[in-house]
Amino acid sequence: MSLSPGTKLGPYEIVTPIGSGGMGDVYRARDTRLDRDVAVKVLPDRIAKDAEARMRFEREAKAVAALSHSNILAIHDYGSYEGSAYSVTELLEGQTLRHRITEGPLPWRKAVEIGAAIADGLAAAHAKGIIHRDLKPENIFLTGDGRVKILDFGIAQLITEPREDEIDPALAVTAPMKTDPHAVVGTAGYMAPEQLRGEKVDATTDIFSLGALLYEMVTGKAAFIRGTVIDSLSAILSDTPDVFAVSDRMIPYELARVIQRCLEKNRTERFQSARDLSFALRAIGTSGSITFEAPAERKRRRVIIGVVATLIAVGVAITMLFLGSTQRIGSSVRSIARKATTQPRSLAILPFVNATGDANAEYLSDGITETLINTLAQVPGLRVMSRTSVFHYKDRPANPVSVGHELRVSAVVVGRVEQMGDRIVVSAELIDTSDNSLLWGNRYQAPRADLFSVQQSIASEIARMLRLKLSGRDQQLLAKRHTTDPRAYELYLKGRFQWNKRDAAGLYKAIEYFNQAIEIDPQYALAYAGLADCYNLLDIWAGLPTGETFPRAKQAAQKALSIDDELAEAHTSLAYAIHTYEWDWPAAEREYKRAIALNPNYATARQWYAEFLTANGRFDEADAQGKKALELDPMSPIINAVVAFNLTMARRYDAAIEQGIRTTQLFPNFMPG
């Protein structure tokens, strides 16, 4: 059925045809009620009687109606005309991404801008549980005024299947309950491997497709489209396109890495949320430290320079041989060689600077620092200095080379946080402490509500720049969010800020903040762990009876673990309450060992475990744990004092005196020392 100009579909008057596709004929029309131009898509006669096609058409309308986002095509109405269904949407003026790509590759900054906008739209859809499943250049529209719109949610799928009494009528038709969940749907060349295999889809499925779009935008070539459909599907499962090489290295290496990560065959190795991908892209678009050279090439260039320098050094050495100085020259050459092969494996994250200048915002800069420490401390093979040692450098200028020498770390992270209304600007740099060279740096600007994603991006980039081999589980730990509510997270940061003051007023205030966070998110395990830590210290710092404090600490820790059994902090708090108050040695030791296994870099767990071992007369083990705690947190007053105390209890008096003197020299006003 072709509609002629002037045809009326209710209040909509057909003006002219726009185009025709597999699922409908599209017309420009006039909304006579609101006096505006709209687009009307009508289900064509050839498939109007197909029940499945009609259901898909209706599903698309309801899926789009459930979403409201500037990067998703807006729907105004849905109805029926002479037995054919139609939908009414906003009228777009411009061109599809497919049409734009036929003109050649896009400038990389424009591709980043478009990709970030698509990711924002996907994030809104994913938040509603809707997966698009058919992202391709034909389904992305670029308007004349610079907006980006995602089209065609016809095969979108609701990834959660609620109970019948919980189904939202507006979303019900997007549920896959009337469709084979293992059916292969999508477009060859843009489907993710799991989609092709008929497996369950999730947000990372759309992220793979968006990676294919980004690849095509910056190279002008499709990542997986081959001569035949079979070859294209095979390429998705087996080929690994090298965007950096295909683009003739005319895009930033950082962007190439983002695209490659989107195109990972294993979904756990991709970005885990569209919002994180959006932040990564925007960070590249605004970064002032972009490089168009791959690390391997930079390394190769440095090696060439190094070889030349070494040859010069050898030449000098031969000359100096006659002057009797070859030993010094040879030593220098060996030192350079050792430095060239050293990989950073130990890290200190220095306190982020509160660039706002408002003391009330101090919790934010401190909280970001502590969150990054706790996140990266879980990465195997990386030694991360504890909070106490790095906060020794707070509010004073710190030279990375000096910090590296004092803390015995090979890299440091420095950063600053600034608030601008309801937005934050976070800058971070990773510095090699051997020569003060910049390994990585970036600047992030985002709403305060998206602080999670900024921190995750920083942690992921640091791990990648340190060339750490991350398993799927390691990557999940880096991307893990203990709460999805930014208000609860901000209250948690305020609670930790107060807890770290180590005084009665701070502990009481911290308990108040942690409880407020729990009221917002009753499943916030970290907030319960914070409560447990507070109650574990109230007897010392506030003089409260242990019969009141430790049972509460145990209860809060157990609640945290009932939500998240992999929380090292909660296992440590539980162990301490059992060890100090109940004297149940086997149970306490199980919890300490579990905490250390989950996070070997958690110095407090090793400190308290060392105290436990001393109480049980296992002095050699206590000494080993104490030394490990000191290695992780050398500037902690209490750990230094505890090591001295443990040596005293072991009757190793000379060593205890030596450690006691060291403690009092470092912290003259610390009474336990």
Side-chain angles (χ1 to χ4, degrees):
M1 173 182 60
S2 178
L3 302 181
S4 58
T7 302
K8 292 285 189 71
L9 281 72
Y12 308 105
E13 182 177 341
I14 299 299
V15 177
T16 183
I18 294 178
S20 180
M23 279 303 297
D25 301 320
V26 184
Y27 299 87
R28 185 188 193 101
R30 189 72 178 169
D31 184 343
T32 57
R33 295 173 304 180
L34 300 177
D35 198 27
R36 64 177 176 181
D37 286 340
V38 295
V40 174
K41 180 157 71 170
V42 181
L43 199 63
D45 286 340
R46 61 185 180 277
I47 56 175
K49 296 180 181 180
D50 184 331
E52 178 61 30
R54 192 179 182 101
M55 180 182 294
R56 174 179 165 181
F57 191 78
E58 182 181 359
R59 180 166 59 232
E60 178 188 11
K62 289 194 174 183
V64 175
L67 305 172
S68 177
H69 193 273
S70 59
N71 296 119
I72 296 176
L73 179 72
I75 188 167
H76 300 320
D77 199 359
Y78 180 83
S80 180
Y81 172 75
E82 295 185 356
S84 291
Y86 68 86
S87 62
V88 182
T89 68
E90 61 179 317
L91 180 66
L92 302 177
E93 304 284 358
Q95 61 181 349
T96 65
L97 181 58
R98 170 63 71 204
H99 187 275
R100 174 60 185 83
I101 291 176
T102 59
E103 301 171 5
L106 280 68
W108 70 264
R109 287 190 186 278
K110 186 62 178 177
V112 164
E113 178 187 327
I114 294 172
I118 297 171
D120 287 341
L122 289 178
H126 295 167
K128 292 280 191 178
I130 297 173
I131 307 301
H132 190 285
R133 297 201 299 174
D134 197 23
L135 282 180
K136 54 187 176 182
E138 291 81 356
N139 286 339
I140 303 299
F141 199 90
L142 310 178
T143 69
D145 57 2
R147 293 173 296 150
V148 179
K149 295 283 187 177
I150 303 174
L151 315 177
D152 196 356
F153 278 78
I155 62 170
Q157 183 175 13
L158 187 66
I159 56 172
T160 55
E161 294 190 49
R163 299 191 312 266
E164 288 187 8
D165 60 342
E166 295 179 332
I167 292 177
D168 181 346
L171 295 178
V173 295
T174 67
M177 53 192 172
K178 293 185 179 180
T179 305
D180 179 0
H182 301 292
V184 178
V185 290
T187 300
Y190 300 95
M191 286 189 286
E194 66 273 10
Q195 190 177 2
L196 176 58
R197 290 190 292 262
E199 298 171 355
K200 184 178 179 180
V201 299
D202 58 19
T204 63
T205 304
D206 281 346
I207 288 172
F208 182 95
S209 300
L210 178 48
L213 292 185
L214 286 165
Y215 181 99
E216 198 164 348
M217 280 191 274
V218 298
T219 67
K221 305 170 185 176
F224 301 107
I225 293 179
R226 304 293 184 262
T228 68
V229 173
I230 295 298
D231 289 341
S232 298
L233 299 180
S234 176
I236 290 172
L237 297 175
S238 59
D239 291 1
T240 303
D242 186 345
V243 61
F244 198 52
V246 174
S247 66
D248 296 324
R249 290 157 171 74
M250 294 305 292
I251 67 170
Y253 179 72
E254 293 81 358
L255 175 57
R257 287 171 56 239
V258 165
I259 296 174
Q260 299 289 163
R261 187 175 172 190
C262 291
L263 295 175
E264 289 288 350
K265 308 298 184 190
N266 184 342
R267 70 173 83 195
T268 64
E269 296 179 5
R270 300 174 204 151
F271 286 91
Q272 294 301 295
S273 78
R275 190 167 297 281
D276 289 348
L277 173 55
S278 172
F279 277 120
L281 290 169
R282 286 197 165 88
I284 292 169
T286 59
S287 175
S289 56
I290 292 297
T291 175
F292 290 81
E293 190 175 33
E297 293 171 346
R298 293 199 296 273
K299 182 177 179 181
R300 191 158 46 244
R301 177 161 49 81
R302 288 197 299 268
V303 168
I304 292 171
I305 294 172
V307 168
V308 173
T310 302
L311 289 174
I312 294 172
V314 170
V316 174
I318 293 172
T319 303
M320 294 300 291
L321 176 64
F322 298 100
L323 301 177
S325 301
T326 52
Q327 186 173 0
R328 285 197 302 273
I329 297 295
S331 175
S332 297
V333 172
R334 285 193 298 273
S335 175
I336 293 170
R338 280 196 302 271
K339 179 180 175 183
T341 58
T342 299
Q343 293 287 344
R345 293 297 180 192
S346 51
L347 182 68
I349 302 171
L350 298 184
F352 276 46
V353 175
N354 173 19
T356 305
D358 181 1
N360 293 325
E362 201 76 9
Y363 76 91
L364 198 57
S365 52
D366 285 5
I368 290 174
T369 308
E370 192 165 354
T371 298
L372 287 173
I373 291 172
N374 293 338
T375 300
L376 286 165
Q378 301 175 84
V379 177
L382 178 64
R383 181 169 63 89
V384 181
M385 303 309 296
S386 292
R387 181 191 190 280
T388 313
S389 287
V390 296
F391 271 77
H392 179 71
Y393 300 94
K394 185 176 171 65
D395 296 328
R396 64 174 189 170
N399 182 293
V401 174
S402 300
V403 172
H405 177 73
E406 293 170 9
L407 298 182
R408 291 182 295 168
V409 294
S410 48
V412 300
V413 175
V414 297
R416 54 192 287 118
V417 184
E418 185 176 2
Q419 294 190 74
M420 301 172 62
D422 62 348
R423 299 183 70 81
I424 58 168
V425 179
V426 182
S427 302
E429 293 181 345
L430 179 67
I431 300 171
D432 188 329
T433 58
S434 66
D435 57 7
N436 208 30
S437 62
L438 181 67
L439 298 174
W440 166 84
N442 218 332
R443 182 174 181 270
Y444 304 83
Q445 186 174 150
R448 284 179 59 170
D450 289 323
L451 181 58
F452 298 117
S453 298
V454 172
Q455 292 172 153
Q456 289 168 5
S457 295
I458 294 173
S460 296
E461 286 304 310
I462 290 172
R464 286 177 178 273
M465 292 309 298
L466 294 182
R467 297 175 177 83
L468 299 172
K469 294 182 178 179
L470 302 180
S471 66
R473 182 180 181 278
D474 297 334
Q475 292 173 346
Q476 288 175 349
L477 287 174
L478 289 182
K480 184 174 184 177
R481 295 187 181 186
H482 294 279
T483 181
T484 57
D485 194 305
R487 298 170 302 161
Y489 178 62
E490 201 160 316
L491 286 165
Y492 172 78
L493 292 183
K494 290 180 178 180
R496 279 298 177 191
F497 180 77
Q498 295 293 332
W499 182 79
N500 281 306
K501 291 181 178 179
R502 292 299 198 278
D503 58 34
L507 289 174
Y508 287 133
K509 195 68 179 174
I511 289 173
E512 182 181 335
Y513 282 130
F514 290 140
N515 277 323
Q516 288 177 16
I518 290 167
E519 285 180 15
I520 294 173
D521 183 356
Q523 296 300 305
Y524 197 178
L526 270 181
Y528 285 106
L531 278 180
D533 288 342
C534 289
Y535 288 122
N536 270 333
L537 298 181
L538 277 176
D539 66 318
I540 298 174
W541 297 103
L544 295 186
T546 55
E548 294 181 11
T549 59
F550 283 115
R552 289 189 178 185
K554 180 179 179 181
Q555 181 182 16
Q558 288 176 327
K559 177 62 177 177
L561 293 174
S562 71
I563 298 169
D564 185 356
D565 187 54
E566 295 191 343
L567 208 56
E569 295 90 340
H571 282 286
T572 303
S573 298
L574 178 58
Y576 187 74
I578 295 173
H579 147 209
T580 307
Y581 182 67
E582 296 182 358
W583 293 11
D584 184 344
W585 308 128
E589 185 162 22
R590 281 195 302 272
E591 295 300 326
Y592 280 131
K593 286 184 174 180
R594 173 74 168 145
I596 292 169
L598 287 169
N599 187 352
N601 286 320
Y602 191 30
T604 300
R606 294 187 181 275
Q607 172 207 330
W608 286 351
Y609 187 35
E611 294 180 40
F612 166 88
L613 293 167
T614 291
N616 280 270
R618 294 157 60 182
F619 302 120
D620 289 341
E621 294 174 74
D623 186 50
Q625 290 295 330
K627 287 179 178 176
K628 185 63 177 178
L630 265 186
E631 182 183 331
L632 293 167
D633 204 350
M635 300 306 294
S636 166
I638 190 61
I639 291 179
N640 275 275
V642 163
V643 169
F645 173 79
N646 291 344
L647 289 169
T648 304
M649 298 304 291
R651 301 187 180 187
R652 298 173 185 169
Y653 299 128
D654 290 342
I657 290 171
E658 183 180 343
Q659 177 62 29
I661 291 173
R662 185 182 301 116
T663 303
T664 55
Q665 287 175 340
L666 285 171
F667 317 104
N669 299 319
F670 187 57
M671 181 274 293

